[in-house]
Amino acid sequence: MGAKDVQVEELYSLDSDTLHALAPVHGLIFLFKWQGASSSEPPAGPTTESEHVYFAQQIIQNACATQAILSVLLNRSDDIELGETLNNFRSFSVDLPPDMRGLALTNCDQIREVHNSFVRPEAFLSDDKRPATKDDDVFHFISYVPVGGRLYELDGLKNGPVDHGETSDWLNDVGEVIQKRMSEYSQSEIRFNLLAVIGDRRKILTQKITTMDADISKLLKRLEVLRLDDHADSHDEVSRVESQIGMLNSERAGLEHMVEIENDKFAKYRTDNALRKHNFIPMVYQLLRGMAMKGSLEPATEQAKELGKKRARQPRQE
């Protein structure tokens, strides 16, 4: 969508040290099993304290993940380079009420195209759509962002942002808020996911390496001067400088390794996205058609059925 120098990172811990290690953290996105409207539902319309929060209601289904990401980006425009598409959209919609912002979001061609580009190809399309029932597992994404020294929860299914109070260090406070939300579920419910919208790790790590290279260069020049000095105290200083250079080189190697990990991660993302968006249905169709023409489809189908029955009879391992 054009935003620069940001990425989404999956989290496995809510502790403050983990979150601070990923700084800058622009916002968190929480996935949970939706149970309907909660007691945290705010009154209709934005409050005085939340007027400066960019909040849009969710108008269409199956768009909560995209809307959760946008809720973070559009509220952190002072820290994130949004790009032309999101800047224009924010400027156009910022003075609209939440429901009209949601409608504008739905009708934004560029955002809709990006969202739809990640839709998996479906083998069969049905017009028979039914509302979810209590027996269905329905999951929902919401955002947590700091705005104006306060922590807000942004849920497009609510009337407005939920204000969780003042915060001097929101990464310390947001863990307690999310833990409280998780405690509303039974102990057997573990289907949660937490994502962080953070600065581009590759750029941040590369900047650290550049700064470290400058420090090493200064120390090398200092070392060269010291070695030309025959005073006794200079020999001790040489040892200290050599030790500092060794430590910095070790840290630099660690940073380079972290950059390699990030590059490998993004390469895997590109592969996964290509596979997710690729339509394999024609290939599967041709494969099944070829098997049918050779007479091997029916025996393979029967064999698969027998294997399925065999697995069903086997006791599950806890």
Side-chain angles (χ1 to χ4, degrees):
M1 287 181 282
K4 296 181 179 180
D5 299 332
V6 289
Q7 67 183 74
V8 178
E9 188 77 7
E10 188 170 9
L11 300 179
Y12 301 97
S13 173
L14 272 171
D15 68 89
S16 178
D17 290 341
T18 298
L19 295 176
H20 280 93
L22 295 173
V25 181
H26 301 295
L28 297 183
I29 297 172
F30 182 51
L31 172 68
F32 60 95
K33 184 178 178 181
W34 191 68
Q35 295 180 315
S38 67
S39 59
S40 59
E41 177 77 27
T47 63
T48 302
E49 292 79 7
S50 64
E51 286 180 352
H52 53 285
V53 178
Y54 187 97
F55 175 79
Q57 288 184 330
Q58 183 177 331
I59 303 300
I60 60 173
Q61 296 180 345
N62 301 324
C64 56
T66 298
Q67 187 146 340
I69 295 174
L70 289 173
S71 292
V72 174
L73 297 177
L74 295 174
N75 276 290
R76 304 289 288 175
S77 57
D78 291 340
D79 303 310
I80 299 174
E81 187 177 348
L82 295 179
E84 182 180 3
T85 296
L86 293 184
N87 266 323
N88 290 342
F89 174 78
R90 193 182 193 284
S91 298
F92 165 76
S93 61
V94 68
D95 293 324
L96 299 175
D99 57 340
M100 294 304 295
R101 287 176 184 172
L103 186 61
L105 178 62
T106 301
N107 291 322
C108 180
D109 292 336
Q110 296 94 331
I111 295 175
R112 184 170 60 247
E113 288 173 4
V114 172
H115 171 82
N116 290 338
S117 69
F118 287 89
V119 176
R120 293 177 183 270
E122 296 288 345
F124 303 100
L125 297 177
S126 174
D127 293 330
D128 184 20
K129 296 182 179 180
R130 62 174 180 83
T133 67
K134 63 179 181 179
D135 297 324
D136 293 317
D137 287 336
V138 180
F139 292 88
H140 185 51
F141 288 92
I142 61 175
S143 306
Y144 292 92
V145 292
V147 180
R150 304 184 72 86
L151 174 60
Y152 289 96
E153 174 186 318
L154 305 180
D155 182 348
L157 298 181
K158 295 185 176 180
N159 294 324
V162 178
D163 186 348
H164 287 288
E166 292 185 3
T167 178
S168 59
D169 187 344
W170 80 280
L171 293 179
N172 282 333
D173 299 331
V174 70
E176 181 179 349
V177 174
I178 296 177
Q179 289 285 4
K180 182 179 179 181
R181 168 65 72 93
M182 294 171 65
S183 68
E184 297 174 0
Y185 295 81
S186 64
Q187 294 183 352
S188 61
E189 180 58 68
I190 60 172
R191 291 171 294 178
F192 302 102
N193 197 10
L194 186 64
L195 306 169
V197 180
I198 64 176
D200 187 337
R201 297 289 295 167
R202 295 171 296 180
K203 182 175 181 179
I204 293 171
L205 292 169
T206 301
Q207 289 174 342
K208 288 182 178 180
I209 291 174
T210 300
T211 301
M212 197 165 289
D213 284 343
D215 292 339
I216 292 173
S217 179
K218 291 178 182 178
L219 288 172
L220 287 172
K221 291 179 180 178
R222 173 64 177 162
L223 186 62
E224 184 177 353
V225 171
L226 289 171
R227 283 174 173 168
L228 295 175
D229 192 340
D230 292 332
H231 289 89
D233 55 349
S234 297
H235 296 294
D236 295 335
E237 183 67 15
V238 165
S239 298
R240 285 193 293 269
V241 172
E242 287 177 339
S243 177
Q244 288 178 314
I245 292 173
M247 291 175 61
L248 287 175
N249 279 324
S250 178
E251 291 180 23
R252 189 186 188 284
L255 292 174
E256 285 186 328
H257 178 63
M258 294 171 69
V259 171
E260 290 177 3
I261 292 175
E262 291 297 320
N263 286 332
D264 291 343
K265 183 194 303 181
F266 274 80
K268 184 177 183 300
Y269 289 164
R270 287 190 291 269
T271 301
D272 290 345
N273 284 334
L275 292 174
R276 182 183 296 110
K277 294 187 285 186
H278 185 73
N279 186 3
F280 288 96
I281 295 171
M283 181 195 74
V284 174
Y285 170 77
Q286 292 296 334
L287 176 63
L288 295 176
R289 184 170 179 268
M291 293 177 66
M293 292 177 63
K294 292 182 178 180
S296 59
L297 179 59
E298 187 172 348
T301 302
E302 294 302 321
Q303 183 181 8
K305 289 180 180 179
E306 291 300 320
L307 287 173
K309 293 177 181 178
K310 184 177 180 180
R311 291 195 188 98
R313 292 192 295 265
Q314 293 178 347
R316 292 186 178 182
Q317 296 182 352
E318 299 295 337

